[in-house]
Each structure stands twice: as structure tokens, then as C-alpha cells.
Amino acid sequence: MREPLDPAMFDGCGTAKPPIRVGDKWTAKILVCLQGGPRRFGELRVPLHQVSAKVLTASLRAMERDGMVERTVFDENPPHVEYALTPLGHTLFGPIEAACAWTRAHAAAVEQARAESGHASFQ
């Protein structure tokens, strides 16, 4: 018989809701877009053309709320807004690269498993 799972195994993890949203569809891509410096919303839309303006806005707001992105409003006519990574946001590039490396190394195996089970691929 196997050992039962420790009921306190996640006690050090804090709240039930994960503290970061890097696992969603757009956050890591937004982080990469901001890696080189501040960008305006329209600039982000160019490489992220697959995401709707509504979803991009919601993602940026969530990232701002989580402390990964800073939103700066410039008092000009017309006014404009720029988004930039915070120091906390910059700390995510190590984990993101690790996830990308894992995907490069194992994507074929995941694709094969999905094909064998009849589930959708990475695309």
C-alpha cells in the first residue's frame, strides 16, 4: 500500500489561487514583447494580432495588478499609455525559458500522446 498524501503538502503555497498568471495563453508572450522596454498598446497588437483588444487589455490589467507590468499614462494631447515590465516582471524570464526548453525537448512526445488519445495538438 502506498503512503497517503500529506494533507499539509501545499500549506506553504499561500492562497488557493496561483499568485501569477504566466500559464495562461497570453501573459508569457506579453512579457516577451515588453522585454526590450516600454511599449504602447498598439505596438503590442502587432505581434499579438491573434488576441482581441479586450483580452489584451484584461491581460495587461491582471499583470499590472500582480505587479509584473507598470502602466504609465502620459499627459499629452492626445494622451497615450505605455506598458513596461517591473523588476518583478523581469524575474519571470528564467522560468519562462525553462518552460520553453522543456517544450522544445518534449513537444513531440506530447503530440504523440495526444494523437494516440485523440486529443488536440499544441496548435
Side-chain angles (χ1 to χ4, degrees):
M1 185 168 172
R2 293 184 291 187
E3 286 289 318
L5 293 173
D6 180 2
M9 68 190 297
F10 297 115
D11 284 357
C13 295
T15 64
K17 188 174 183 180
I20 58 173
R21 297 169 31 102
V22 177
D24 73 356
K25 188 170 184 177
W26 301 109
T27 301
K29 291 179 180 182
I30 294 169
L31 287 167
V32 172
C33 289
L34 295 174
Q35 189 173 18
R39 297 289 179 168
R40 294 176 73 166
F41 188 85
E43 291 178 283
L44 295 172
R45 294 290 315 270
V46 174
L48 300 171
H49 55 88
Q50 305 95 337
V51 64
S52 70
K54 180 181 177 180
V55 171
L56 180 56
T57 297
S59 295
L60 286 164
R61 285 182 183 159
M63 293 169 71
E64 182 181 11
R65 181 188 64 237
D66 291 344
M68 292 187 277
V69 169
E70 180 179 59
R71 180 179 184 263
T72 304
V73 179
F74 292 88
D75 188 23
E76 299 174 354
N77 193 6
H80 79 270
V81 175
E82 286 185 349
Y83 298 91
L85 291 179
T86 64
L88 181 63
H90 280 283
T91 66
L92 290 167
F93 287 105
I96 289 171
E97 179 51 40
C100 289
W102 185 92
T103 300
R104 284 189 297 272
H106 302 288
V110 172
E111 286 289 335
Q112 181 178 350
R114 287 181 178 176
E116 291 171 359
S117 69
H119 288 82
S121 68
F122 279 119
Q123 281 88 29

